[in-house]
Structure formats: C-alpha cells, structure tokens
Amino acid sequence: MTHSILWGEYPIGDHRILCPACGTSPRKKDMGVTILSPEHGIAHCFKCGLIASKRDQRELSEVERRAYKRRMDALRKQHDAEQRERQARAAAGASQRWLASVPALDHPYLSAKGIKPHGIRVEAGHTLLIPLRDGKGHIHSLQSIAPDGSKHFMPGGRTKGCYHAIGQASGRLLIAEGYATAATLHEQTGYAVAVAFNCGNLLPVAQMLRAKYPCLTLVLCADDDWTTEGNPGLTAASAAAHAVGGLLAVPDFSGLDRQGGDTYFNDLQRLAGRVEVME
Ligand SMILES: [Zn+2]
C-alpha cells in the first residue's frame, strides 16, 4: 500500500495534517510533517505510527542529516507525550464509567459461554465492563462486551501490561487471553487467573506478574488457534511461558468433535463438560 503525502504543498517548517493511512475525519490531524528543504521532508503519524520521508536523489549533507535526526527525535518525543496524554484521558474516562456501572449478576454473554461474573460490571443495563488494571490495581481502560458478544476497548487506552484478576493468587497463577477462558479456568480449577485480553499482551502481563509474585508458578493457558497460519495464540503463550520460566497449558481436544472455531478452554469446557490443568 502506498500513502501519498503531497510534499510540495507545504512550505519549509512544521505542519499538522490528516494521516493518509489512518486519517478519517479532516479534524483529526494526527500526522506531523516537517519540510526541511524543497527536496527533503519527514512525516510521522502520532496515531498509527506511519513514518514517511521525501528525499530527492541528492544525498543528505552531514548538516542536513543531523537536522533530519533531530527532527525525527523531536517527533518521537512528541508522539510519546501525546500517547501518554491520550492514555491519561482514557484512564480517567474508564474510572468514571466503572464507578457509574453496577456489579454484573447475569448477562447474555455470560450465559452463552456458561460462565459466571468475576469482578466485572454492567453499564446502562446491557454492556459488560471488564477493567484493565496495572500491577497496583489502577484502572487504565475497559473492555466492553455487548449482549451479542462484540467486544471493544476504549480508544487510546493503555493495554500493555494491564490485566483483570480473577480469584486470589496462591501457589499457581494462570494467565489467559480472554475473559471467557479465564472464567472457565477459574471455575473449573479454583486457581487465580489473569485476563491479558490479547495474545500480544501475554508476555507484558506475564513479566509484570513475575515481578509482582516472584514465588508463584505462572501457567500460560494458550488459545490454540490451530486453523490460523502461525497459530498466534499458541506461539505467544509459549514464548511468554519461556520468557518468565512458567508452564504452558494447551487445551486438549483429542477424542472430541472439534470444529475450526474451537480454539480455547471455554470451547473445551463446552465440548468436554470439564477442564483441568494438569502437570
Ligand atoms: Zn496514521
């Protein structure tokens, strides 16, 4: 995919424009463009991270190269600052929504998955809220689940290293991707389970929990994305287990009528009627 920035339209200096890759509304000028000379410019999107540059055939001089690098560093710094600000706003919004909601008792999603509420809430009578907390218990974002099962995170909210804890950690602490898997594992085994929300967050959460609970045995409970190229769930879980010296648990569907969409411990529970995590 090529993203075109009309370099010639901007005079020398700094500008904010709509990102050609992720920009949606003309009001959202998420891309910073710096024109260094008629031949050279750099652009960086604070939202999607796209970096683009314009250079003609002429090589950059030493002075230009230094100016280029300085500007790139400044853009990155600005990016980090804006991201922190967005995350702080999302965290404040998350806390407000959390306080305005009520403890979940039942919900169509919970009945569909055959699981119970564990420290989650309901907003406006229909939306399940699952908090994303850091190691100190502060809420940074929320995952919302609609009655039809569709899931959303708060835009701009921090996810990395944040999790939702089910149960009291002692001896062994399980880590799973989604709430349904985690609830199933907790209800079936009695162990505490941390919800990491997606496979890319398994490692940051495992590292955080390893630092917080150095004496517990961490068990990474994989989603087995067996029909997806590269099996992202299993790959991420086994890498995280390896990195923190933890164990790896994989749902064993052998002898069961497994369909393509049966990937995680909640599916195993539905098919087998029970789930255990063995040595
Ligand atoms: Zn962008």
Side-chain angles (χ1 to χ4, degrees):
M1 193 165 36
T2 55
H3 305 292
S4 51
I5 293 163
L6 303 171
W7 299 102
E9 298 216 328
Y10 311 103
I12 288 174
D14 297 335
H15 311 275
R16 288 297 285 249
I17 66 166
L18 182 68
C19 171
C22 74
T24 44
S25 133
R27 279 176 294 120
K28 293 193 170 156
K29 298 191 170 172
D30 288 315
M31 174 162 268
V33 176
T34 298
I35 306 294
L36 295 160
S37 76
E39 298 87 25
H40 297 112
I42 47 178
H44 179 262
C45 176
F46 297 119
K47 200 165 157 218
C48 71
L50 174 73
I51 295 173
S53 60
K54 183 207 181 186
R55 289 185 194 201
D56 69 358
Q57 301 85 332
R58 184 172 66 83
E59 273 294 296
L60 288 173
S61 72
E62 188 51 38
V63 173
E64 285 170 331
R65 210 189 324 276
R66 257 181 277 149
Y68 199 88
K69 185 181 177 307
R70 253 201 316 275
R71 188 56 200 147
M72 211 57 231
D73 291 346
L75 280 174
R76 287 218 181 85
K77 236 182 228 146
Q78 194 183 348
H79 179 197
D80 293 346
E82 290 191 13
Q83 189 180 44
R84 273 196 299 276
E85 202 183 300
R86 265 202 304 273
Q87 289 181 341
R89 268 202 305 275
S95 294
Q96 264 175 14
R97 288 175 63 191
W98 185 250
L99 289 174
S101 59
V102 297
L105 301 172
D106 49 28
H107 188 272
Y109 180 77
L110 301 179
S111 354
K113 297 291 181 188
I115 50 176
K116 297 188 182 77
H118 301 281
I120 61 178
R121 290 180 164 242
V122 172
E123 179 179 62
H126 52 71
T127 304
L128 270 186
L129 297 182
I130 306 170
L132 283 81
R133 296 178 194 266
D134 63 22
K136 293 187 178 120
H138 298 131
I139 292 185
H140 287 267
S141 185
L142 299 169
Q143 182 183 48
S144 54
I145 305 182
D148 69 0
S150 57
K151 298 171 184 168
H152 292 282
F153 289 102
M154 294 183 68
R158 177 183 148 194
T159 310
K160 193 177 173 189
C162 293
Y163 63 100
H164 171 57
I166 299 176
Q168 286 297 320
S170 79
R172 189 178 267 208
L173 175 54
L174 315 188
I175 304 171
E177 276 189 45
Y179 177 81
T181 309
T184 302
L185 288 165
H186 176 67
E187 290 166 19
Q188 293 288 313
T189 68
Y191 294 124
V193 190
V195 182
F197 294 95
N198 63 61
C199 66
N201 201 29
L202 287 172
L203 177 60
V205 167
Q207 285 169 329
M208 223 284 305
L209 292 171
R210 171 49 73 226
K212 186 173 176 178
Y213 303 108
C215 300
L216 293 184
T217 302
L218 299 181
V219 185
L220 275 294
C221 300
D223 285 5
D224 181 9
D225 301 322
W226 64 310
T227 57
T228 307
E229 170 96 36
N231 201 330
L234 184 55
T235 306
S238 92
H242 186 75
V244 300
L247 304 174
L248 177 69
V250 184
D252 177 8
F253 287 90
S254 51
L256 298 167
D257 181 23
R258 185 185 199 183
Q259 306 296 311
D262 293 329
T263 55
Y264 60 1
F265 282 99
N266 182 260
D267 298 315
L268 183 61
Q269 157 75 9
R270 195 187 72 244
L271 291 172
R274 68 194 175 84
V275 165
E276 40 186 6
V277 175
M278 299 189 292
E279 284 299 331

